[in-house]
Amino acid sequence: MALDEYEKRDFKVVGKRMPRPDAIDKVTGRALYGADMHVPGMLVGKILRSPHAHARIKAIDTSAAEALEGVRAVVTGADFPDIAPGEARNVRDNTMARDKALYDGHAVAAVAATSAAIARKALKLIRVEYEILPHVTEISDAMKPDAPVVQEGFVQENVPEGFSENVISYHQYGHGDLDAGFAQADKVITRRFRTAATHQGYIEPHAALASFGADGTADLWVCTQGHYFVRQLCAEILQMDQAQLRVTASEIGGGFGGKTTCFIEPVALMLSKKAGAPVKLVMTRQEVFRASGPTVSSEIEVRMGMTKDGRITAAEAELHYQGGAFPNITVQFGAMAAFACYDLQAVQTRGYNVLTNRPKQAAYRAPGAPMAIYAVESVVDELCQEFDLDPLEVRLKNAARKGTRASYGPTYPDIGLVATLEAAQAHPHYSAPLGPNQARGVACGFWFNFGGDTSVSLSVDFDGSITVTEGNPDIGGSRVSIAMMAAEELGVPYESVRAVVTDTGSLGHNEVTDGSRVTFAVGLATIKAARAAKREMCRRAAKIWGIDEDAVVWEDGCAKPAGPNAGKFEPLSIKEIAAKSSRTGGPISGHHEVNAEGAGVSFGVHIADVEVDPETGHTKVVRYTVFQDAGKAVHPAYVEGQMQGGAAQGIGWALNEEYIYDEQGRLVNPGFLDYRIPVASDLPYIDAVILEIPNPGHPYGVRGVGETGIVPPLATLSNAVSRAIGRRMYELPMSPPRILKAIKGG
Amino acid sequence: MQYLAPTSVDEVVAALAQADGRARVLAGGTDLLVQMKSDMIAPDILVDIKRIPELREITREGGGWRIGAAVSGAEFNEHADICADWPGLAEAFDLIGSTQVQGRCTLAGNLCNASPAADSVPAMVAADAVARVAGPNGTRDVPVVDIPVGPGKTSLAAGEFITSIFLPARAPRSADAYLRFIPRTEMDIAVASAGVSLTLDDDGSCVAARVALGAVAPTVLLVEKATAALIGTRLEGAALAALAQACESAATPIDDKRGTVEFRKQVVGVLARRAARVAQNRAEERA
């Protein structure tokens, strides 16, 4: 672990609320999103999707569609080459079914035509002969030994006996003697929880424009969180060299993890290859719900023992997650995160991943953690009520801190949970009076955060302005933060720096924008690229002055002689050095490539006040405060936005959002009318309190902040609602019918 | 597809009578255009009625109000006099869609879409509103409650369309109210709803009442037993409990993605009770 990067300093730019560079383009409409790309001769692509949850595709007759005037290509699973097992093959089979349709909405064929009307007509002419198979969409049904098998061949060796072939992976974490721990408790309770699958709900549907050249090279413009990964997947699926495929990311209308993989891009490329013309594919909202990646649904059992003074003596959890018809590792994250907030002597988690006839899950903000921590934090709250203990006191008593052995293995360095809990306890919200039918809930949350492969190039342009070239789509304000860190490090005004997200042909590899990694890892690489540029500028100054390189230092945005012995020279500014750079050795750049470690875990504590209508079960969130450790908030407004956004999404997850399937395994609410994300008037002002406990793994102490915020709201809301109605809730969403049923004693 | 925009009712009747293929009347289009875009329907002929001047007007008629079939929600809600007479219908109409949708949506369109969850329909039924229908056999007046016959189905004959909605004259100390239940606060569809219109005498006793429920049956329900529960009372606790019970009993909802039978029955009684109380308060304020 890289834990020696941090140096305390007085910031000049970092920590200020600079104007965001993308704001004007976004409000004037100049910003280009995925569906905005147009090229001459472009065709319209459309996808035919399975109306069945599980069906063998016996035959597909595309001849009538191919014969339709204006149709230029038709693609089915048979067009894609065989490739080795692995994620690319899973993505290939998810973006276009081969022998079986695995869920309602699974793509079975696609067309490219000269107009949308012709493409739609062509889809209706494709005849698919299905043999409908028994389907399974619920976790407990899918685990039964005699359940319909979704896909064969994915079961890993360590999966315990006694389940169907849908149970494909098993993960176990923990330490200590559970029996001894439970024996020390004054009370041990076991509770079962269920959470529904939820969608990230990004406003921009997936869109891709593919253009395949006659020479075998291709270009792809796409709305994505990671165009390098799109290139990697598509190159493998289409069996081409990565270098032959250039991918450019558009502006992005939200991702939240859901745009970290491919859902249509390989199809767009294959259509373009067959048609010999550019093809644009844009998902409808209904397609986004049916065939992109929601998060997992879960069934979780938690057992916890506590002494009457609030010490957790032992805890275990068994987590069953389904993420659709393909493998994923989300339950592993859940099993690792479940008890990460606590310092426990005896703890164990066991996670099972289950295949079902549902769409292939994608990441959603802290994937796997919100549901696991919802279950754990609900049980902690119930035990606090049992012993009449203050829920923040109990959490402080058991909180993980520096030196704690985490339930998932590592020993924590400096972390911010205790400081965050103390801030929550001291905040006026925690002691504010409550009205009738109101109650207060609290919960903690955690996320690992991530670093990963990162490349940054920083150019000192001839006029002394700075271009930072980076490869991560900006989903949460990373461009402004990166430009601020470059300005800070170089000692130049923020306004002279522009951060540009470039295409895959213009910079080395960059990991997807995920794991809250960009401000941390790209920021770290930017700082180091700036340091490289400063070293080069010192060399150029030495050359101009005719002195030794070692005799030049960088201070306040200028090269200066190191001391009186170095010679008497006026400092040279970046502008002056840049102006002469062509004559002192050529253009000046700094760059840095790293697989960044030391991302630094992040903790949060949320407080919510709710008011429940006892006659209708309607929940109104009347006050909400988020406390979270940001390490160092580079741009506090964006950090607050991340904390507020996570809370808003978590509130929706807790109260109303869910994938609803009918008896035939069809999704019945594929739209924003009946998939109910909160609208602005559903939410109170979400107050955000930033804590800054520096991350030793980053030069400025930065931790990722994008994901932790969605983890606490599920339990925070459930704890508040349970206290308001006097009955414990065990299932999400807590929709009004469920709450009213609980109130009425159902 | 053919698009026509006639300027008189007679031309619309003629266009619909001569239509070769599937014809649809277009007012605001807030349902129709969405259904066309999502491939649910593909009409051969669209007849736009927004260019017919009298269909864009709200006029006084015999102490009541006649509202043209192409009057939008925004236009209705900017009409202070009609909103003073019918605050419940105004709030129901205003609940349809966003600000943008309000600029286009119409009462007649909401009625002809024939959704049991339509927000303006329970309020219109409670108001005893009457639709004027034009067609090949001339003009007829039909109580609003008789227009929808099931989800997506109306009693209108081929070639007929609604030209206006008539709201009867208001007795003194009368008012109405509409409440719906949605899991969110806006941009949603009623899980259950109730419209109540009532008239009080000088002593505050209820002398007339109509209660209509939405989203708890295949069509909006007029609950006559609810009327009986209110007449002759001052809406005391027992009367309101009887009202809620009458509504619960009348409701025949389904389980679906928006709610359960049990939930809808319980909540529709609560809504009727609360709406009756709001209407009572408004009627007393109008005294």
Side-chain angles (χ1 to χ4, degrees), chain A residues 303-363:
Chain A
R303 183 178 178 219
M304 185 177 284
M306 193 183 275
T307 60
K308 59 180 185 297
D309 63 348
R311 178 73 206 167
I312 302 169
T313 60
E316 62 178 329
E318 184 160 310
L319 305 98
H320 301 168
Y321 287 10
Q322 74 73 32
F326 295 89
N328 65 79
I329 56 168
T330 302
V331 79
Q332 189 176 351
F333 291 142
M336 290 166 73
F339 295 105
C341 292
Y342 296 114
D343 178 11
L344 300 174
Q345 298 305 305
V347 59
Q348 189 185 80
T349 55
R350 301 175 297 279
Y352 294 81
N353 185 34
V354 185
L355 298 182
T356 62
N357 293 113
R358 294 200 192 200
K360 183 180 191 291
Q361 70 103 53

Side-chain angles (χ1 to χ4, degrees), chain A residues 270-292:
Chain A
M270 189 57 83
L271 283 170
S272 174
K273 191 177 182 181
K274 278 189 94 170
V279 176
K280 183 156 83 176
L281 263 180
V282 181
M283 273 189 165
T284 63
R285 180 63 61 190
Q286 192 192 62
E287 286 181 292
V288 171
F289 276 106
R290 290 171 75 205
S292 70

Side-chain angles (χ1 to χ4, degrees), chain A residues 51-87:
Chain A
H52 306 297
H54 195 193
R56 191 166 308 285
I57 299 169
K58 296 176 76 176
I60 303 182
D61 180 357
T62 59
S63 55
E66 279 161 20
L68 184 68
E69 176 79 31
V71 171
R72 300 279 296 276
V74 180
V75 160
T76 69
D79 289 293
F80 290 88
D82 286 328
I83 55 174
E87 186 56 12

Side-chain angles (χ1 to χ4, degrees), chain A residues 351-390:
Chain A
Y352 294 81
N353 185 34
V354 185
L355 298 182
T356 62
N357 293 113
R358 294 200 192 200
K360 183 180 191 291
Q361 70 103 53
Y364 181 14
R365 227 169 181 158
M371 46 296 253
I373 289 179
Y374 150 69
V376 169
E377 290 295 277
S378 294
V379 170
V380 171
D381 197 59
E382 194 173 335
L383 286 167
C384 290
Q385 283 185 298
E386 169 76 24
F387 295 122
D388 196 21
L389 297 170
D390 178 87

